[in-house]
Every structure is written in structure tokens, then in C-alpha cells.
Amino acid sequence: MSGIAGMIDWQGGPAGAVVQRALDALALHGRDGQGLWDGGSAALGWRQTILHTEDFVDKQPLAGADGNFRLVLDGRIDNREELARTLALPSESHQWPDSAYVLAAFEKWGEECMEKLIGAFSFALWDARTRRLFLARDHAGQRPLYLHRGGNFVMFASRPSALFTNSRVPRDIDDERFVLDLAMVPLQPGETLYRNIERVSIGHAVRITEGASVNLRHWRPESIPPRHYQRDEDYVDEFRSILTAAVACRLRSIHPVGSHLSSGWDSSTVTATAALLMKAGGRLTAYTAVPPASWKNEALKPEGVTDEGPIATAVARNFPNIEHVLIRATGGLDLMALDRRADANEYPLKTVNNIGWLESLYCDARSRGIRVMLSGGMGNRTISYDGLTLLPYLLRQGSLAALGREWLALRRGTYSLKHLSALTFGPYVPEAGWSLIRQMLGMPKPIAQMRSCIHPLALTEQRLQQAARLARLTPVNAHRVDDRMMRWYCTQTPDVSLIWSGTLAAFDVETRDPLGDRRLMAFRAAIPERQFLFQGQTKWLVRRAMQATLPTELVTQTHRGRGRQAANWFDAAGRSRDALRAEVERLAGTPRIESLIDIPLLRFLLDTWPARLRDARETFSYRRLLMVLSAGRFIRRFLERASSGDV
């Protein structure tokens, strides 16, 4: 991983000095060196992070096509051996850096190379002959890439802060996009929180010439042909094979490797597979977040698994080469740690409750020399997909007998009739019908919850409804009942690079998620829904695949709620109320932010802080309080730096 930047001045102005300033801003995204190609009106630059043996010979920007191509790559290519065979590369190509594989692929296939590359990457290629700039991100958007289109120039970089070093790039927040983000409306393809700053969309490339640009979508999971096998066991065998390959290629590192390990299927599967692959030649450090030793859960209704330590310990105990580290959550909310992580992400941190244990985890990892951390964050899109969209599908197909059998089996678990009804019939109920049902049940309107803690004049109900429909957040949208559409939708949100790229800047640790592998996501998109839900067993595919590898404590668990990696978040936030109050007053002292956030409601929530949370509505309110305060603090600090020229 690294950081990249570049600029093309269509009117012939100098670009090299501008790109060098951008590289300076990306120093934390590549501490091990840098490279700059200055072609006068076109310049490309790169910051280096050395994680593989091949990285020592990487000297970007690379030149190709008789000097007409210049390429910079941020990322990692995982199908090197396959590319070497397909491209008929020389035997010494195993020593090449990943950037050389991308360049060779582009020289062979041009823009169609995107369908051949597997990995986590973004790259830029300038073609001096055609004066064409090509910007691309991988299928899952695991590495970021931002751009600004000026009147006479275009500039790109791995982070917005690098673009802001150019005085011709505006340094400002898009107020409407900010409040929509607070309302949990996902950023639409290409959008950012910053005015006149775009993202290259997930699974897309952009071809830019003077006066024109074309978006090119290269990842189309909804068009992957269905795959059917004669035996259910064949799906399991193929899944294991792809999973093993996905984990194996992400273990490539000259540094020790760590892994997140919760009590769920995703991280447990990744950790167990990695430990098996490393059995002959290395140790894996697995990290689990647990509550403080003195903490007692006093919630009236426990929120899922509040202590993931016991099950995670059972997983680690199965593998003698795993060193299991328990990370105790902190007793308070560390606002300085929140700032460090938000600044590294260059995006407001929404899961404020996780900041304490994440900071401790990565600090411990760096003290052990770990610079690669495995994650299972994208598992919900692939291996641990629960298959519950099978229910509305069976209804639509008229397979009522099969639907009835699944209902009965799920009812024997912990699914209520109300929940099953919502899953089965909900996607077909018009929005007005849902509003009536929620009103009859005494439930709050979703639109009211989404607007909570936002200034009433900053986001009208009509505007939020319009944005929610566009983002497919309402039950009338086809992706809720059409699994092939769902496959596309689930690859677009969230943009994981907004989170993962920050760990490199903050801790010099790269996050790698085998469960986001293109091959694994394609397999999940191709196989029948029935492989994920069968006789009331959700996540049926991974259960079968891992039942002989993972401990019975995990395998025999049914629907038990999500693991809570910061179950003591309310107590920790309560100890930090004075700091939170002080932040509310600082926000109130910034007129622009005061016009976007509901300051009186934030004050009220802090002044009426209960001894303990009584119900789900109260839990929601205080989670919203922390999220909105985090976002407001991020924007306040950004605006202060922008006004002083220090962004």
C-alpha cells in the first residue's frame, strides 16, 4: 500500500511542484520512500510503503509503451501467478513489484485489464500520446482515489488533504451532503463530503481527456452467470478452495501478521484459515476486544453478545500457532484518539464507541512489528450472508410450501412471527403501508429517526425521503426482493476505503480482508440462495464449510445477536460527559455548524443522561448523540484549519 497523486494541466502550465506538495501531504501513507515523474504540464507521484520483498525494487512512477505511459499504483495485486501465466511473463517476473504487473496488463489489454486484476488497489495511468488519464479502483473499492476537475486542469490523489495543497482546489464542506451523511444516507457513487471533490466510484474507472470524461464500470456482479452443481457438497468444496486462496495471497508480507477475532463467523473463519496456512512457518497474533474486567452489563435487554472473549478464546485454542490477545475497552471516551482516527480517515468516525479498543489494538500491533492486519469486515456480503432474502423470493415464486417449511424452522429458533412477516412481506409493502404499520405498533417513523440531532431547517423530511429513495433505503426498491440486484447494491456501500485506509496513516498497518476477494464475491453472486438458508439454518454455506475447523461453541450458536465489541460504550461515554458538553458548546460557537446540527437536542440529551439505558429508543438516541458529536467535531476542526490555510 502507498499513496499516489498527479495533475494534468490542459493549458500547459507546470504540474511537478504541485504534485510534490501533494506527496508531502501523503507522507503518512507511504513512509518508506517516494517517486515523482515531472513531465511539465503532466506529473505523477507516489509514496511507498514496503510490505513485500518485491517492494524493495519498486520504483514508481513506471514508464511503459516506449515511454508514453506513466503509471502509479496504490495497492496490492493478489493474482500475480495467474497474470504471469496469462501474460507469458519471463521467469524472473516473480521478483517484479505489483505495479509492474498492472503496467504489463494495461499494455496487453488496455482498459479491459480491470477484469483481469484481483486485489486491493487504485491506480492512475497517463497516456502522453492520446493525452488521456485513466483512473481506476478495484471491484470493492478497498483503496481510495479522489479527484478534482478544475477549469483547465484535473488533479487526483489518494486523500482529499493532498488535493487541498493545490491553491486552485477549494477547501470546503458540502453542507447538504454532510447532513445526509448524518442521516445515514450512503454517499452516492462519486460523492464525497467535500465541495467539488469526487471519488472514483467502487468497481469503476474514469477515462479523462481535455473537456470530457467517461465513467467505466468494470465490476458487474448482477451479470455473473448462475453456477449450479449436482451436489450440495460441491458448493462447499468450491467455497473452501476459493476461501483458502483468498486468505493465502493476503498473507504475503515480510512483517508479522495479525488478525481481528470476534465471536462471529467472519473473523473466526479468516483467523482459522490463516492459522492453518501458517501452521508450518509462522505465528498469528489474534486480537479480541472485551469489556473492562470490572464492568457488569446492567441493560434490561442485552444487546447481543456483550463479551466476545469466551468464544474467541475457544477459536484461538484450536490452533497452537495463534497468540491470542484480549484488548480491554477503556473506561472513558478518548476524544484525542477520536481526532487521530478521523484525521487519518479524513472522514467522520461513526462508530465512536469503538475508538478506545481500536487505538489500543493497533498500538499493541505496532509494538510487535505487525504491519498487516487481517479482517473479516466484508463477510456479510460473502461468506456469512444469512440467506433471508430467500423468503420474499419464495413468496414471489409462489413456492408457498417451501416458504412454510422455512418459517416453521426459523420459528423453532429465535425468529418471531413479526420478524418473519417483515422479512417476507415487507419488501412488497409500499412506503405508505409501512408508515401505517409502524404507527399502529407505536414505533417511531424511520424518517424521524434519520433526522434526529440534525437541525430541522437543514434537512427537510421531503428532501430526506427523496435522497433515501435514490439510495434504495425504502422497502419499495427492487433490490430487497431481487437477489441479483442486491448483489450489485451490496458492493457499493459502504466505501470501506473510508475506514481501512486510515489505519495505514494512523498506525502504519495495512488492513486486508480476504472476504472481499473478487473471486469469493463472484462465487457468492453466482450460486443459488438456497445455499445460504436451509431448514432454518442461516449462513448455511459457511456452517458446513467450517464445522470441522471451528469449535462447537461457535458452530452450534443460532441467532444470538451481533457481537458487541464495545458493550460498555454508554458507561464510558457517561464518564466523558464534561468533555462532550464542552464540545457541544464549541459547535454552538460555530454558526455554520449550529445551522446544521440540533444543538438544543444535544444539550437536552446530555443534561438528562440516565443512570442506565431503559429501552431501544433510548439506546438509539445516545448512539446518535455520539455519532453527531463526532461528525460535528470533525467538521469544526476541518473548517478551522481551512480558514487558517492549514489543511
Side-chain angles (χ1 to χ4, degrees):
M1 295 297 168
S2 52
I4 59 175
M7 176 176 159
I8 312 298
D9 190 311
W10 303 115
Q11 301 302 309
V18 177
V19 175
Q20 182 57 61
R21 288 196 296 272
L23 292 181
D24 293 341
L26 292 172
L28 294 180
H29 294 270
R31 295 169 167 86
D32 300 323
Q34 66 170 313
L36 174 69
W37 170 75
D38 187 352
S41 61
L44 275 69
W46 162 75
R47 298 285 314 200
Q48 183 179 34
T49 296
I50 295 177
L51 296 174
H52 316 115
T53 303
E54 301 83 9
D55 293 339
F56 287 103
V57 296
D58 201 3
K59 303 298 179 185
Q60 298 183 47
L62 296 187
D66 299 322
N68 289 295
F69 287 174
R70 300 288 169 173
L71 175 137
V72 284
L73 168 74
D74 167 22
R76 186 189 69 252
I77 300 301
D78 292 329
N79 62 329
R80 290 164 54 94
E81 293 183 5
E82 178 189 10
L83 286 172
R85 290 193 301 269
T86 307
L87 291 166
L89 299 179
S91 59
E92 64 269 18
S93 64
H94 71 278
Q95 300 175 351
W96 290 4
D98 291 355
S99 56
Y101 280 80
V102 176
L103 181 59
F106 199 96
E107 288 180 320
K108 172 71 173 180
W109 297 302
E111 295 172 355
E112 286 71 32
C113 73
M114 296 305 300
E115 298 180 3
K116 313 286 187 180
L117 300 173
I118 295 175
F121 59 83
S122 63
F123 72 86
L125 186 141
W126 169 245
D127 185 344
R129 292 175 302 187
T130 60
R131 290 182 59 77
R132 179 180 297 171
L133 179 65
F134 185 77
L135 305 175
R137 292 179 71 194
D138 68 72
H139 70 291
Q142 296 167 88
R143 297 302 298 164
L145 191 56
Y146 297 84
L147 70 147
H148 169 77
R149 305 170 200 258
N152 299 318
F153 73 98
V154 61
M155 186 173 180
F156 68 87
S158 296
R159 309 302 291 173
S161 58
L163 298 176
F164 295 144
T165 61
N166 185 343
S167 60
R168 291 194 281 174
V169 176
R171 302 168 177 85
D172 200 8
I173 295 294
D174 184 321
D175 289 351
E176 181 177 88
R177 188 56 259 179
F178 170 63
V179 294
L180 285 173
D181 191 63
L182 281 183
M184 304 304 289
V185 176
L187 294 170
Q188 293 302 289
E191 287 186 340
T192 73
L193 296 185
Y194 303 99
R195 195 176 302 279
N196 296 322
I197 301 294
E198 308 168 46
R199 289 179 299 154
V200 176
S201 298
I202 297 168
H204 282 67
V206 184
R207 182 199 308 133
I208 303 175
T209 55
E210 185 175 3
S213 68
V214 179
N215 284 321
L216 306 166
R217 184 178 166 206
H218 60 82
W219 172 237
R220 299 179 179 274
E222 76 282 7
S223 64
I224 294 173
R227 191 181 302 188
H228 297 283
Y229 297 135
Q230 290 187 343
R231 305 179 309 143
D232 284 334
E233 292 81 1
D234 294 335
Y235 293 101
V236 176
D237 292 342
E238 181 69 5
F239 168 74
R240 286 198 191 103
S241 175
I242 297 173
L243 174 68
T244 299
V247 175
C249 63
R250 286 165 178 80
L251 293 176
R252 181 167 63 111
S253 174
I254 59 174
H255 305 286
V257 176
S259 179
H260 289 281
L261 177 59
S262 69
S263 64
W265 284 99
D266 301 331
S267 61
S268 297
T269 296
V270 170
T271 300
T273 305
L276 288 171
L277 289 167
M278 299 171 68
K279 197 170 184 179
R283 293 185 60 80
L284 179 69
T285 305
Y287 289 94
T288 303
V290 295
S294 59
W295 180 76
K296 293 182 180 180
N297 181 24
E298 296 181 350
L300 295 180
K301 185 178 180 181
E303 300 179 75
V305 179
T306 56
D307 185 352
E308 302 194 84
I311 292 179
T313 298
V315 173
R317 195 180 294 129
N318 273 15
F319 305 94
N321 61 332
I322 287 182
E323 180 178 357
H324 192 206
V325 179
L326 299 178
I327 297 294
R328 296 282 174 189
T330 57
L333 179 61
D334 187 344
L335 293 181
M336 298 306 294
L338 179 65
D339 291 344
R340 285 192 293 272
R341 194 59 186 266
D343 290 348
N345 293 345
E346 300 189 30
Y347 181 76
L349 194 68
K350 290 187 168 64
T351 53
V352 181
N353 49 297
N354 288 333
I355 188 62
W357 68 263
L358 280 173
E359 181 94 351
S360 299
L361 185 156
Y362 282 104
C363 287
D364 184 272
R366 286 302 290 123
S367 71
R368 298 168 186 262
I370 293 171
R371 294 184 66 186
V372 170
M373 187 69 66
L374 301 180
S375 169
M378 298 183 73
N380 289 338
R381 311 183 195 188
T382 51
I383 73 164
S384 66
Y385 170 58
D386 57 27
L388 290 171
T389 53
L390 178 66
L391 301 179
Y393 174 79
L394 291 174
L395 178 65
R396 187 177 64 182
Q397 296 297 111
S399 303
L400 300 184
L403 177 60
R405 287 192 295 270
E406 289 299 340
W407 264 53
L408 288 173
L410 289 166
R411 279 289 291 135
R412 286 193 292 268
T414 58
Y415 287 86
S416 67
L417 286 174
K418 184 171 67 174
H419 192 183
L420 291 172
S421 298
L423 289 169
T424 305
F425 303 106
Y428 303 103
V429 176
E431 191 172 345
W434 267 114
S435 297
L436 179 61
I437 292 170
R438 295 182 71 91
Q439 183 178 353
M440 292 172 60
L441 294 174
M443 300 170 66
K445 293 173 62 176
I447 209 78
Q449 289 185 310
M450 295 168 74
R451 293 178 69 205
S452 174
C453 297
I454 298 173
H455 195 290
L457 299 180
L459 184 61
T460 66
E461 184 172 326
Q462 181 181 10
R463 175 67 185 103
L464 181 52
Q465 287 176 332
Q466 179 187 32
R469 290 192 187 99
L470 180 64
R472 298 184 176 90
L473 294 181
T474 60
V476 297
N477 284 285
H479 79 274
R480 297 292 183 186
V481 294
D482 182 350
D483 181 62
R484 298 193 73 75
M485 178 60 72
M486 189 70 168
R487 296 169 191 181
W488 173 82
Y489 178 74
C490 285
T491 64
Q492 299 303 298
T493 56
D495 189 330
V496 294
S497 74
L498 294 174
I499 304 169
W500 290 351
S501 60
T503 62
L504 186 64
F507 305 103
D508 201 20
V509 176
E510 179 196 350
T511 302
R512 298 180 181 178
D513 191 346
L515 305 187
D517 187 278
R518 183 174 183 137
R519 295 160 292 192
L520 199 57
M521 295 182 80
F523 179 73
R524 180 264 178 262
I527 66 176
E529 288 292 278
R530 174 57 74 188
Q531 291 301 315
F532 298 96
L533 176 65
F534 181 70
Q535 295 182 355
Q537 289 192 72
T538 59
K539 308 180 182 183
W540 191 45
L541 179 63
V542 70
R543 286 180 187 276
R544 289 173 290 160
M546 301 302 294
Q547 62 183 353
T549 304
L550 295 175
T552 56
E553 290 92 329
L554 175 59
V555 173
T556 58
Q557 291 289 329
T558 57
H559 183 68
R560 55 191 172 83
R562 295 180 58 189
R564 300 296 174 181
Q565 295 166 327
N568 67 316
W569 67 271
F570 183 72
D571 295 337
R575 295 187 183 93
S576 305
R577 267 187 295 166
D578 289 343
L580 297 178
R581 283 195 184 95
E583 181 57 37
V584 169
E585 298 312 314
R586 281 192 287 267
L587 297 179
T590 308
R592 184 172 172 186
I593 297 179
E594 192 175 18
S595 70
L596 302 176
I597 291 175
D598 192 343
I599 298 294
L601 178 56
L602 298 183
R603 287 173 174 152
F604 173 79
L605 289 172
L606 286 169
D607 290 342
T608 58
W609 194 281
R612 63 173 179 168
L613 297 173
R614 292 181 289 270
D615 55 36
R617 294 188 193 183
E618 222 170 37
T619 299
F620 172 82
S621 295
Y622 284 95
R623 285 190 183 276
R624 282 287 295 178
L625 164 71
L626 296 181
M627 190 198 80
V628 171
L629 270 178
S630 170
R633 182 179 174 92
F634 174 84
I635 298 301
R636 174 184 64 78
R637 296 174 65 248
F638 174 84
L639 293 176
E640 289 172 354
R641 293 196 302 267
S643 64
S644 65
D646 183 26
V647 173

